[in-house]
């Protein structure tokens, strides 16, 4: 008899349900809190895992209770939201997505895993893989942006980075792909709102990153809070069990979101906790996070439906198997001080590199990189001296004091300059009394770095915004500073794109820096001074106005594609269709040209990959690195396809004047579409291959391939 069999035989119903219950300690608050006597619950065998607790001492104490005072020698596992770092904080996921760099994504996840594992954490509630095309939704900050192909790459890299290989057992974090699924399509961008999308859109856009996570071996999946067309994900048997478990072959555990099972009552699909618990269990959810639904609801549900015991036993098996795979039975208490990854200095260096590669240079009239150290630099704005804000909305630690803020970074980089600073206004709120002093300071400076944006709490969970402009009196401050007539470089810190067309009209340069983490200030200064060149490209379309959202590059043509000279075509009266900046937009400190696009074959048998090559030339005066983007357009298909659909990217570093070929290979399934029957299919016909710097058709080189039936 296996260990799991013997434990199952020995456990009471209450103890089995205990393994399916996750309780929050309150070292961090990530949902509605309720007081729990954790040690007592552990001794009684009423809890199998704990979230929001860290520290090898703290976790070891509870583990000792579980093993020596619990009803059975079953270890706990500890979960925490380690999205983009634990003690060393890396850029928020939306920022890192701008790097278009799988290796970097994996490296930062690996570094985070080592730090969190050292603090006794076994599982992270990450990567967050919700594709989003509506920046009103605050959680866009936590995910990989608008594109399912980029999102799928991000998923694989993060799962590999967090989970590592078996050889790294001591410094592994089991990963959780969340929030399954389509949470980023919340109606009106409003948090927790219902989602109503077509099945085709679900398969084309929202499922692919999760499919990639399952293929990468992700240990857990967290269903989302939302319903899809009235079926809450926590009760969605069709998607959780029939698609993910049975069709995709997922063998890990489903962990509910915080209290989400109990919330099936508020969704209006369960009349009481017992019904909610039964629905979730039948859908395939193994662990109830902070809902009390399994603990209080399952015994009643079982009395109503005795056959549920089979589902309970199956769920307990999966949880105990997870604990075995984590090595917890053999090593319930992790040896602290693992140095599987280099010393913290190496992690800070990685954070600085990741941050600089996540910065997107949106506009530049030539003022950057700074040609020489200005005599006096005025660093003005409410984000200039902020430390905690640089960590973004999901930094689960209070170690912000060692964060390098923008002012620190500029001072350290411009030692010969006189660097002065003023907030001018607060991030939010109506107090504009500080603007006059800020303008006075601006009048004395040769260069102004204007630090604007959002507070970290204005994105992330429960942080939807109906407008995407600068909060508070920041625009008033900016306009007053511009009127001082000095050169202004604007640095935007935010969890989403911001609609500030007036800023791009007046600033000499604008950087999107998102929230860059522990090394934010050094990374921003590296880019301003040219110590590093900007390489980031937008993983989301940057809207002109909130009225354009949802806005994204992979749009279908419609029967009346936009034509400015034809009234009866798809467009607005008051804004362009195009975003302020397209998916893939990002300037460097040089210029690149593309030429000589060629494809491996002009007739491609369906099922074969396609090699694509393009020559890239650095036509500028500085070395630079370009990210080459490849899109396709399936011209005629059984289902209308996007006019541009991102499929691949590759990076190349070139010296001034240098030309080199860049080759990308499209796997066969890059040409697949979701057919009328919702199955994936590759159809014969003409395929456009478009290659260039960003999702602007007129800037892309184009070739044609004819897919032919074998
Ligand atoms: C929160 C979030 C989820 C997080 C969980 C645990 O409500 O929705 O992303 O992992 O609770 O903190």
């Amino acid at each position: 008899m296996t260990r799991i069999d013997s434990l199952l035989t020995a456990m009471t119903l209450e103890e089995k349900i205990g393994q399916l219950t996750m309780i929050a300690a309150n070292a961090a608050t990530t949902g509605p809190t309720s007081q729990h006597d954790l040690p007592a619950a552990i001794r009684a065998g009423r809890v199998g895992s704990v979230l929001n607790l860290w520290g090898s001492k703290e976790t070891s104490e509870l583990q000792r209770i579980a093993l020596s005072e619990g009803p059975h020698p079953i270890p706990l596992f500890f979960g925490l939201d380690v999205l983009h770092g634990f003690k060393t904080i890396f850029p928020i996921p939306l920022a890192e997505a701008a790097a278009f760099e799988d290796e970097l994504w994996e490296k930062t996840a690996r570094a985070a895993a080592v730090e969190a594992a050292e603090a006794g954490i076994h599982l992270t509630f990450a990567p967050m893989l919700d594709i989003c095309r509506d920046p009103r939704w605050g959680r866009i900050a936590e995910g990989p942006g608008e594109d399912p192909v980029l999102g799928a790459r991000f998923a694989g890299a993060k799962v590999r980075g967090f989970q590592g290989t078996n050889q790294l057992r001591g410094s592994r974090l089991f990963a959780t792909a969340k929030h399954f699924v389509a949470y980023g399509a919340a109606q009106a961008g409003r948090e927790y709102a219902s989602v109503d999308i077509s099945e085709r859109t679900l398969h084309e856009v929202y499922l692919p990153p999760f499919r990639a996570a399952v293929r990468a071996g992700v240990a857990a999946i967290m269903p989302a809070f939302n319903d899809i067309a009235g079926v809450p994900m926590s009760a969605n048997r069709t998607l959780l069990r029939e698609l993910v478990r049975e069709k995709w072959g997922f063998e890990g555990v489903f962990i509910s979101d915080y209290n989400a099972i109990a919330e099936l009552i508020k969704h209006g699909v369960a009349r009481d906790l017992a019904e909610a618990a039964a629905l979730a269990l039948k859908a395939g959810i193994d662990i109830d996070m902070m809902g009390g639904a399994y603990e209080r609801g399952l015994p009643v549900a079982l009395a109503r439906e005795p056959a549920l015991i089979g589902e309970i036993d199956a769920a307990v098996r999966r949880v105990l198997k997870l604990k075995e795979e984590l090595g917890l039975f053999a090593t319930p208490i992790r040896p602290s001080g693992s140095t599987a990854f280099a010393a913290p200095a190496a992690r800070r260096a990685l954070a600085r590199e990741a941050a600089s590669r996540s910065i997107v240079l949106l506009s530049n009239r030539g003022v950057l990189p700074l040609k020489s150290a200005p005599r006096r630099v005025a660093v003005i704005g409410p984000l200039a001296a902020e430390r905690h804000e640089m960590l973004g909305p999901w930094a689960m630690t209070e170690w912000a004091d060692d964060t390098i803020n923008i002012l620190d970074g500029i001072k350290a980089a411009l030692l010969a300059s006189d660097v002065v600073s003023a907030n001018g206004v607060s991030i939010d709120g109506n107090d504009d009394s500080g603007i006059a002093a800020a303008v006075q300071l601006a009048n004395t400076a040769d260069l102004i770095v204007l630090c604007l944006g959002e507070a970290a709490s204005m994105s992330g969970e429960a942080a939807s915004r109906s407008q995407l402009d600068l909060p508070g009196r920041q625009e008033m401050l900016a306009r007053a500073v511009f009127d001082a007539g000095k050169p202004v470089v604007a640095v935007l810190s935010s969890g989403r794109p911001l609609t500030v067309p007036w800023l791009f009209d007046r600033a000499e340069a604008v950087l999107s820096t998102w929230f860059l983490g522990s090394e934010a200030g050094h990374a921003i200064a590296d880019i301003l001074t040219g110590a590093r060149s900007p390489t980031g490209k937008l993983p989301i379309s940057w809207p002109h106005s909130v009225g354009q959202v949802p806005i994204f590059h992979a749009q279908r043509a419609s029967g009346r594609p936009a034509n400015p000279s034809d009234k009866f075509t798809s467009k607005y009266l008051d804004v362009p269709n195009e975003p302020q900046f397209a998916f893939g937009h990002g300037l460097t400190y040089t210029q690149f040209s593309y030429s000589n696009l060629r494809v491996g074959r002009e007739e491609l048998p369906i099922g074969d990959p396609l090699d694509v090559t393009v020559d890239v030339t650095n036509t500028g005066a500085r070395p630079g690195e370009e990210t080459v983007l490849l899109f396709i357009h399936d011209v005629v298909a059984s289902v209308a396809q996007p006019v541009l659909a991102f499929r691949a990217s590759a990076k190349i570093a070139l010296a001034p004047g240098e030309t080199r070929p860049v080759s990308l290979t499209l796997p066969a399934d890059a040409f697949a579409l979701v057919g009328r029957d919702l199955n994936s299919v590759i159809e014969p016909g003409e395929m456009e291959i478009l290659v260039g710097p960003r999702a602007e058709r007129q800037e892309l080189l184009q070739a044609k391939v004819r897919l032919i039936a074998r």
Side-chain angles (χ1 to χ4, degrees), residues 97 99-102 105 133 144 146-154 204 537-539 552-555 583-584 627-633 642-650 664 666 669-672 688 690-695 700:
F100 281 76
E101 196 170 338
D102 310 52
W105 299 333
R133 296 155 165 198
E146 76 180 40
D147 187 78
V149 170
L150 194 66
R153 283 173 40 187
F154 189 84
E204 284 176 347
K537 291 198 166 187
L538 291 178
F552 51 98
H553 78 276
Q555 302 258 4
F583 173 86
T627 301
V628 174
L629 303 184
L630 186 154
F631 303 86
I632 66 169
H633 173 216
V643 294
L644 269 184
F646 172 74
R647 282 291 181 272
S649 65
L664 305 99
L666 287 178
D669 64 7
F671 303 110
E688 291 174 351
L690 304 103
V691 177
R694 58 184 182 166
L700 301 173

Side-chain angles (χ1 to χ4, degrees), residues 30 51 81 125 139 178-179 222 225 257-258 289 461:
T30 59
L51 75 147
D81 293 279
F125 305 120
R139 304 199 81 164
K178 75 180 185 182
H179 310 80
M222 181 186 291
F225 285 122
D257 204 335
Y258 200 112
M289 178 195 286
E461 186 173 358

